[in-house]
Amino acid sequence: MSPKSQATGAVEPNIFILSAPSGTGKSTLVRRVIASRASLCLVVSHTTRPPRPGERDGREYHFVDRGSFERMVAEDGFVEWAEVHGNLYGTSRGELMRHLEAGNDVICEIDIQGAAAVRLALPEAVSIFLLPPSWSALEARLRGRRTETDEVVSRRLVNAHRELEQAPEFDYVVVNDDLEEATEDLLAVLRAAPLAQSHQTRTVEVILASRAHSFVGADS
Ligand code: 5GP
């Protein structure tokens, strides 16, 4: 939320979606932008995937079993959910709404099918696709991670190929070659995208309404 929007009273939190094939470095990037934008909150997804070493429940994900996940699906608890690489992942409706109602911008770090579902449910969301600098860099990163079996890595590479073809569906594309530069680029998108005319209709309305009030005051 910018000081300008506070000044006009047009306070509309923004919803950002960041998608990329696994191994593109989106978690690192998201952590960096969250650290430098106080009003930006990450919507922590739910997943049935087991935690990797170093991951903590409630920080990287809410780690749940399949039964709990399916109960949330039945109760319409997700804005979107998807099966990715054999595990279930979902964006909690409650968590997303809590951040927005508190006046914070939100960022959802989700896969490509999830991004399409959020765009349908929330058309005002701004979508950003993060690209690896090359195919070989993506492959090296996935193999170098050493937290998954060869079979899982191969499955992720096949999926990545399909996912990269969806980049044109997104509003913005950021290439993660140099982490500093990619962070700057993503911050630039977060700053500029809400200024697009299509996101500013309420700002214009509020200013026009305040002008109408001052006329009433002048005539009476
Ligand atoms: P990982 O298991 O490597 O953390 O994530 C695998 C994929 O699931 C990534 O592409 C990640 O963006 C995606 N993902 C994480 N959370 C969600 C979510 O809530 N919904 C969807 N659709 N995908 C998610």
Side-chain angles (χ1 to χ4, degrees):
M1 189 194 313
S2 72
K4 210 182 295 171
S5 53
Q6 278 164 344
T8 58
V11 178
E12 282 177 62
N14 300 289
I15 303 166
F16 298 102
I17 309 166
L18 182 69
S19 293
S22 333
T24 314
K26 66 182 176 306
S27 305
T28 311
L29 204 56
V30 162
R31 268 201 302 277
R32 289 174 69 113
V33 296
I34 295 242
S36 66
R37 278 181 77 91
S39 66
L40 182 66
C41 296
L42 174 70
V43 181
V44 178
S45 297
H46 286 63
T47 185
T48 59
R49 161 169 85 59
R52 296 191 184 117
E55 288 185 332
R56 211 168 63 203
D57 187 40
R59 187 179 62 187
E60 281 78 12
Y61 286 103
H62 300 290
F63 295 100
V64 294
D65 58 32
R66 222 164 230 268
S68 310
F69 194 99
E70 283 165 358
R71 262 195 306 283
M72 276 185 77
V73 171
E75 291 162 1
D76 199 25
F78 293 118
V79 179
E80 64 74 39
W81 67 273
E83 180 152 358
V84 188
H85 316 307
N87 294 302
L88 302 177
Y89 295 81
T91 306
S92 151
R93 192 182 296 284
E95 185 162 332
L96 178 82
M97 292 314 295
R98 264 193 306 283
H99 289 310
L100 292 178
E101 280 161 15
N104 291 313
D105 292 340
V106 295
I107 186 160
C108 305
E109 187 203 318
I110 56 182
D111 86 317
I112 280 84
Q113 32 177 345
V118 173
R119 271 201 306 266
L120 267 185
L122 306 162
E124 70 276 26
V126 174
S127 57
I128 306 147
F129 195 98
L130 186 66
L131 280 181
S134 64
W135 183 261
S136 54
L138 178 71
E139 194 166 350
R141 220 190 127 142
L142 274 179
R143 295 202 186 282
R145 198 145 75 175
R146 300 199 176 281
T147 50
E148 270 104 2
T149 60
D150 281 353
E151 192 209 326
V152 170
V153 170
S154 303
R155 192 169 351 138
R156 289 187 176 223
L157 283 169
V158 170
N159 288 346
H161 198 269
R162 237 190 349 251
E163 289 170 344
L164 283 171
E165 291 172 349
Q166 299 301 313
E169 301 300 319
F170 285 68
D171 297 319
Y172 293 86
V173 175
V174 170
V175 178
N176 191 10
D177 189 358
D178 174 82
L179 185 58
E180 282 299 327
E181 239 175 78
T183 307
E184 286 305 312
D185 288 348
L186 183 53
L187 283 169
V189 171
L190 298 184
R191 186 160 164 76
L195 303 178
Q197 185 273 337
S198 55
H199 285 253
Q200 291 291 330
T201 48
R202 175 127 191 272
T203 312
V204 176
E205 279 165 19
V206 169
I207 291 172
L208 286 177
S210 68
R211 179 172 181 261
H213 287 143
S214 67
F215 274 149
V216 171
D219 287 348
S220 56

